[in-house]
Protein backbone atom coordinates (compact mmCIF):
# COMPACT_ATOMS: atom_id res chain seq x y z
CA UNK A 1 0.00 0.00 0.00
CA UNK A 2 1.33 3.42 -0.98
CA UNK A 3 1.15 5.85 1.93
CA UNK A 4 0.14 9.41 1.10
CA UNK A 5 0.73 12.43 3.30
CA UNK A 6 -2.84 13.56 2.72
CA UNK A 7 -6.29 13.17 4.19
CA UNK A 8 -9.75 12.60 2.77
CA UNK A 9 -12.73 13.80 4.80
CA UNK A 10 -15.86 11.68 4.44
CA UNK A 11 -18.83 13.58 5.84
CA UNK A 12 -21.66 11.09 6.14
CA UNK A 13 -19.63 7.91 6.60
CA UNK A 14 -22.62 5.60 6.90
CA UNK A 15 -22.64 1.82 6.82
CA UNK A 16 -22.82 1.49 3.04
CA UNK A 17 -21.68 4.16 0.56
CA UNK A 18 -19.72 6.19 3.10
CA UNK A 19 -17.98 3.12 4.49
CA UNK A 20 -17.00 1.92 1.02
CA UNK A 21 -15.62 5.35 0.11
CA UNK A 22 -13.56 5.31 3.30
CA UNK A 23 -12.22 1.81 2.58
CA UNK A 24 -11.33 2.67 -1.01
CA UNK A 25 -9.41 5.83 -0.18
CA UNK A 26 -7.71 4.17 2.80
CA UNK A 27 -6.59 1.35 0.49
CA UNK A 28 -5.08 3.99 -1.80
CA UNK A 29 -2.96 5.36 1.03
CA UNK A 30 -5.01 8.28 2.38
CA UNK A 31 -5.66 8.91 6.03
CA UNK A 32 -9.45 8.90 6.24
CA UNK A 33 -11.30 11.26 8.55
CA UNK A 34 -14.74 9.67 8.83
CA UNK A 35 -17.61 11.56 10.40
CA UNK A 36 -21.19 10.55 11.13
CA UNK A 37 -23.82 10.97 13.77
CA UNK A 38 -23.27 8.45 16.56
CA UNK A 39 -19.58 8.02 15.83
CA UNK A 40 -19.42 4.86 17.91
CA UNK A 41 -21.08 3.11 14.96
CA UNK A 42 -17.82 3.62 13.05
CA UNK A 43 -16.02 1.03 15.22
CA UNK A 44 -16.43 -1.87 12.72
CA UNK A 45 -15.19 0.33 9.86
CA UNK A 46 -12.17 1.42 11.89
CA UNK A 47 -11.35 -2.20 12.70
CA UNK A 48 -11.65 -3.28 9.07
CA UNK A 49 -9.51 -0.47 7.68
CA UNK A 50 -6.83 -0.84 10.33
CA UNK A 51 -6.73 -4.62 9.88
CA UNK A 52 -5.99 -4.00 6.20
CA UNK A 53 -3.13 -1.65 7.09
CA UNK A 54 -5.03 1.58 6.47
CA UNK A 55 -5.34 4.72 8.55
CA UNK A 56 -8.59 6.20 9.81
CA UNK A 57 -9.74 8.75 12.36
CA UNK A 58 -13.39 8.33 13.34
CA UNK A 59 -15.43 11.17 14.81
CA UNK A 60 -19.01 11.83 15.82
CA UNK A 61 -20.24 14.62 13.58
CA UNK A 62 -23.52 16.44 13.12
CA UNK A 63 -23.18 17.91 9.62
CA UNK A 64 -25.89 20.45 10.50
CA UNK A 65 -23.60 22.00 13.11
CA UNK A 66 -21.31 24.57 11.48
CA UNK A 67 -18.80 24.59 14.32
CA UNK A 68 -18.52 20.80 14.33
CA UNK A 69 -17.99 20.64 10.56
CA UNK A 70 -15.34 23.36 10.67
CA UNK A 71 -13.51 21.67 13.55
CA UNK A 72 -13.69 18.28 11.80
CA UNK A 73 -12.17 19.63 8.56
CA UNK A 74 -9.54 21.65 10.39
CA UNK A 75 -8.52 18.56 12.35
CA UNK A 76 -8.17 16.58 9.12
CA UNK A 77 -6.06 19.31 7.58
CA UNK A 78 -3.89 19.58 10.69
CA UNK A 79 -3.24 15.83 10.58
CA UNK A 80 -2.10 16.00 6.95
CA UNK A 81 -3.06 18.13 3.98
CA UNK A 82 -6.78 17.88 3.26
CA UNK A 83 -6.81 16.78 -0.37
CA UNK A 84 -10.38 15.51 -0.79
CA UNK A 85 -13.72 16.17 0.88
CA UNK A 86 -16.67 13.93 0.05
CA UNK A 87 -20.08 15.07 1.26
CA UNK A 88 -22.25 11.98 1.48
CA UNK A 89 -25.08 12.88 3.85
CA UNK A 90 -28.28 11.07 2.86
CA UNK A 91 -31.56 12.42 4.33
CA UNK A 92 -33.72 10.35 1.97
CA UNK A 93 -37.27 10.37 3.34
CA UNK A 94 -40.68 9.80 1.76
CA UNK A 95 -43.80 11.50 3.06
CA UNK A 96 -47.07 12.36 1.33
CA UNK A 97 -47.13 16.09 0.66
CA UNK A 98 -49.81 16.91 3.23
CA UNK A 99 -47.97 14.85 5.85
CA UNK A 100 -44.66 16.62 5.29
CA UNK A 101 -44.28 18.79 8.36
CA UNK A 102 -42.31 22.01 8.59
CA UNK A 103 -39.85 20.23 10.86
CA UNK A 104 -39.23 17.40 8.39
CA UNK A 105 -38.82 19.77 5.45
CA UNK A 106 -36.37 22.02 7.29
CA UNK A 107 -34.39 19.11 8.75
CA UNK A 108 -33.97 17.43 5.36
CA UNK A 109 -32.89 20.74 3.80
CA UNK A 110 -30.39 21.32 6.61
CA UNK A 111 -28.92 17.84 6.22
CA UNK A 112 -28.82 17.46 2.44
CA UNK A 113 -28.31 21.04 1.25
CA UNK A 114 -27.19 23.52 3.89
CA UNK A 115 -24.71 21.07 5.43
CA UNK A 116 -23.25 20.50 1.96
CA UNK A 117 -22.80 24.24 1.52
CA UNK A 118 -20.97 24.55 4.84
CA UNK A 119 -18.81 21.48 4.16
CA UNK A 120 -17.89 22.78 0.72
CA UNK A 121 -17.18 26.30 1.89
CA UNK A 122 -14.96 25.28 4.79
CA UNK A 123 -13.10 22.74 2.64
CA UNK A 124 -12.52 25.39 -0.04
CA UNK A 125 -11.19 27.78 2.59
CA UNK A 126 -8.44 25.28 3.42
CA UNK A 127 -7.76 24.15 -0.15
CA UNK A 128 -7.56 27.59 -1.76
CA UNK A 129 -4.69 28.49 0.54
CA UNK A 130 -2.65 25.80 -1.27
CA UNK A 131 -4.23 26.22 -4.69
CA UNK A 132 -5.46 22.63 -5.02
CA UNK A 133 -8.03 20.16 -3.76
CA UNK A 134 -11.16 18.18 -4.60
CA UNK A 135 -14.68 18.53 -3.25
CA UNK A 136 -17.23 15.90 -4.25
CA UNK A 137 -20.97 15.70 -3.48
CA UNK A 138 -23.32 12.71 -3.51
CA UNK A 139 -26.52 13.36 -5.43
CA UNK A 140 -29.49 11.20 -6.36
CA UNK A 141 -32.26 10.79 -8.91
CA UNK A 142 -34.01 13.45 -6.82
CA UNK A 143 -31.27 15.92 -7.82
CA UNK A 144 -32.89 16.05 -11.26
CA UNK A 145 -36.60 15.51 -10.71
CA UNK A 146 -39.11 15.47 -7.92
CA UNK A 147 -41.13 12.38 -7.19
CA UNK A 148 -44.31 11.55 -5.33
CA UNK A 149 -43.60 11.82 -1.63
CA UNK A 150 -40.17 13.38 -2.12
CA UNK A 151 -40.91 17.11 -1.89
CA UNK A 152 -38.49 17.62 1.00
CA UNK A 153 -35.74 15.36 -0.30
CA UNK A 154 -35.88 16.52 -3.92
CA UNK A 155 -35.89 20.20 -3.01
CA UNK A 156 -32.81 19.68 -0.84
CA UNK A 157 -31.01 17.63 -3.49
CA UNK A 158 -31.90 20.18 -6.20
CA UNK A 159 -30.40 22.80 -3.90
CA UNK A 160 -27.24 20.81 -3.27
CA UNK A 161 -26.73 20.41 -7.01
CA UNK A 162 -27.07 24.18 -7.45
CA UNK A 163 -24.55 24.78 -4.67
CA UNK A 164 -22.13 22.37 -6.33
CA UNK A 165 -22.58 24.01 -9.76
CA UNK A 166 -21.95 27.46 -8.35
CA UNK A 167 -18.88 26.24 -6.48
CA UNK A 168 -17.53 24.50 -9.57
CA UNK A 169 -17.82 27.58 -11.77
CA UNK A 170 -16.03 29.68 -9.19
CA UNK A 171 -13.44 27.25 -7.87
CA UNK A 172 -12.44 25.03 -10.78
CA UNK A 173 -10.49 27.85 -12.48
CA UNK A 174 -8.59 28.06 -9.17
CA UNK A 175 -7.57 24.37 -9.38
CA UNK A 176 -10.24 23.05 -7.01
CA UNK A 177 -12.09 20.15 -8.64
CA UNK A 178 -15.75 20.24 -7.65
CA UNK A 179 -17.92 17.34 -8.80
CA UNK A 180 -21.48 16.11 -8.26
CA UNK A 181 -22.22 12.39 -8.52
CA UNK A 182 -25.81 11.45 -9.37
CA UNK A 183 -26.71 7.95 -8.24
CA UNK A 184 -29.71 7.16 -10.43
CA UNK A 185 -30.55 3.86 -8.83
CA UNK A 186 -31.44 2.15 -5.63
CA UNK A 187 -28.26 1.33 -3.73
CA UNK A 188 -27.96 -2.15 -2.25
CA UNK A 189 -28.61 -1.36 1.41
CA UNK A 190 -30.83 -2.99 4.01
CA UNK A 191 -33.22 0.03 3.96
CA UNK A 192 -33.60 0.01 0.17
CA UNK A 193 -34.18 -3.74 0.08
CA UNK A 194 -36.83 -3.51 2.78
CA UNK A 195 -38.55 -0.59 1.06
CA UNK A 196 -38.57 -2.28 -2.37
CA UNK A 197 -40.01 -5.45 -0.91
CA UNK A 198 -42.76 -3.47 0.84
CA UNK A 199 -43.64 -1.53 -2.32
CA UNK A 200 -43.24 -4.19 -5.03
CA UNK A 201 -43.15 -7.57 -3.29
CA UNK A 202 -40.34 -10.07 -2.91
CA UNK A 203 -39.91 -10.41 -6.68
CA UNK A 204 -38.50 -6.88 -6.71
CA UNK A 205 -35.29 -8.31 -5.24
CA UNK A 206 -35.00 -11.18 -7.70
CA UNK A 207 -32.50 -9.38 -9.94
CA UNK A 208 -29.54 -8.20 -7.82
CA UNK A 209 -28.10 -6.29 -10.78
CA UNK A 210 -30.82 -3.65 -10.44
CA UNK A 211 -29.37 -2.47 -7.14
CA UNK A 212 -26.04 -0.66 -7.17
CA UNK A 213 -23.34 -2.07 -4.86
CA UNK A 214 -21.96 0.65 -2.54
CA UNK A 215 -18.43 -0.31 -3.63
CA UNK A 216 -19.34 0.71 -7.19
CA UNK A 217 -20.17 4.20 -5.94
CA UNK A 218 -16.82 4.38 -4.18
CA UNK A 219 -15.17 3.31 -7.42
CA UNK A 220 -16.87 6.17 -9.27
CA UNK A 221 -15.51 8.65 -6.74
CA UNK A 222 -12.03 7.22 -7.22
CA UNK A 223 -12.41 7.72 -10.98
CA UNK A 224 -13.29 11.36 -10.37
CA UNK A 225 -10.27 11.74 -8.10
CA UNK A 226 -7.94 10.37 -10.78
CA UNK A 227 -9.10 12.68 -13.57
CA UNK A 228 -6.44 15.03 -14.95
CA UNK A 229 -7.30 18.70 -14.63
CA UNK A 230 -7.29 18.98 -18.42
CA UNK A 231 -10.46 16.83 -18.45
CA UNK A 232 -12.39 17.30 -15.22
CA UNK A 233 -15.98 16.10 -14.93
CA UNK A 234 -18.41 18.28 -13.01
CA UNK A 235 -21.35 15.90 -13.08
CA UNK A 236 -21.31 12.13 -13.40
CA UNK A 237 -24.44 9.97 -13.56
CA UNK A 238 -24.19 6.30 -12.66
CA UNK A 239 -26.85 3.58 -12.82
CA UNK A 240 -26.97 -0.21 -13.26
CA UNK A 241 -27.26 -1.41 -16.85
CA UNK A 242 -30.83 -2.57 -16.31
CA UNK A 243 -32.12 0.64 -14.73
CA UNK A 244 -34.91 2.39 -16.66
CA UNK A 245 -34.35 6.11 -17.11
Amino acid sequence: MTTRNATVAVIGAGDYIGAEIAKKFAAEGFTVFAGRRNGEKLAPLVAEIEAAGGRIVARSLDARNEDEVTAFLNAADAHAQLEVTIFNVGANVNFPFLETTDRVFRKVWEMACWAGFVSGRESARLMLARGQGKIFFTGATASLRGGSGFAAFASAKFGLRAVAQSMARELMPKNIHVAHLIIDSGVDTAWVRERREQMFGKDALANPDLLMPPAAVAGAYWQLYQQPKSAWTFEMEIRPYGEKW
Side-chain angles (χ1 to χ4, degrees):
M1 179 187 296
T2 300
T3 300
R4 303 170 190 259
N5 186 30
T7 58
V8 55
V10 182
I11 297 175
D15 295 332
Y16 297 98
I17 293 175
E20 291 298 330
I21 293 169
K23 287 189 283 187
K24 176 60 179 175
F25 277 80
E28 297 293 342
F30 284 87
T31 297
V32 176
F33 268 64
R36 65 175 291 177
R37 288 179 297 172
N38 303 317
E40 66 275 5
K41 293 183 178 180
L42 289 165
L45 177 63
V46 171
E48 184 174 353
I49 287 177
E50 291 183 343
R55 298 167 299 166
I56 181 172
V57 177
R59 299 277 179 90
S60 289
L61 176 66
D62 183 349
R64 297 171 297 162
N65 186 308
E66 184 175 2
D67 291 339
E68 286 189 25
V69 171
T70 301
F72 177 77
L73 293 169
N74 286 341
D77 194 58
H79 182 89
Q81 176 176 305
L82 178 64
E83 189 169 333
V84 188
T85 293
I86 298 176
F87 180 79
N88 183 60
V89 173
N92 188 347
V93 298
N94 182 286
F95 288 100
F97 195 78
L98 296 183
E99 296 175 19
T100 302
T101 63
D102 291 354
R103 180 179 179 274
V104 165
F105 194 94
R106 290 177 184 276
K107 182 177 179 180
V108 171
W109 175 79
E110 286 178 348
M111 292 172 64
C113 183
W114 184 81
F117 157 72
V118 171
S119 299
R121 185 191 64 194
E122 295 308 308
S123 297
R125 211 184 291 280
L126 296 166
M127 294 172 181
L128 283 170
R130 292 185 292 268
Q132 63 178 3
K134 300 176 186 292
I135 304 170
F136 300 153
F137 297 93
T138 298
T141 305
S143 303
L144 300 177
R145 63 179 184 270
S148 177
F150 290 102
F153 183 60
S155 63
K157 283 297 186 181
F158 265 67
L160 181 67
R161 184 177 185 234
V163 168
Q165 283 183 343
S166 297
M167 287 180 60
R169 290 188 166 101
E170 183 175 344
L171 299 180
M172 285 172 73
K174 299 177 181 178
N175 202 31
I176 308 296
H177 184 187
V178 179
H180 182 247
L181 179 66
I182 295 176
I183 305 171
D184 185 27
S185 165
V187 177
D188 195 356
T189 68
W191 183 83
V192 169
R193 284 180 166 272
E194 180 181 347
R195 181 169 174 76
R196 286 205 169 191
E197 187 171 337
Q198 289 174 349
M199 293 176 65
F200 307 116
K202 291 186 178 181
D203 289 345
L205 304 177
N207 185 354
D209 292 327
L210 295 183
L211 290 178
M212 184 177 295
V217 181
Y221 272 126
W222 184 248
Q223 290 175 18
L224 286 170
Y225 169 79
Q226 291 181 300
Q227 288 181 337
K229 61 183 178 181
S230 57
W232 275 347
T233 295
F234 163 66
E235 192 157 75
M236 178 187 289
E237 294 185 40
I238 56 175
R239 58 183 63 85
Y241 71 92
E243 182 76 21
K244 295 180 181 179
W245 61 292

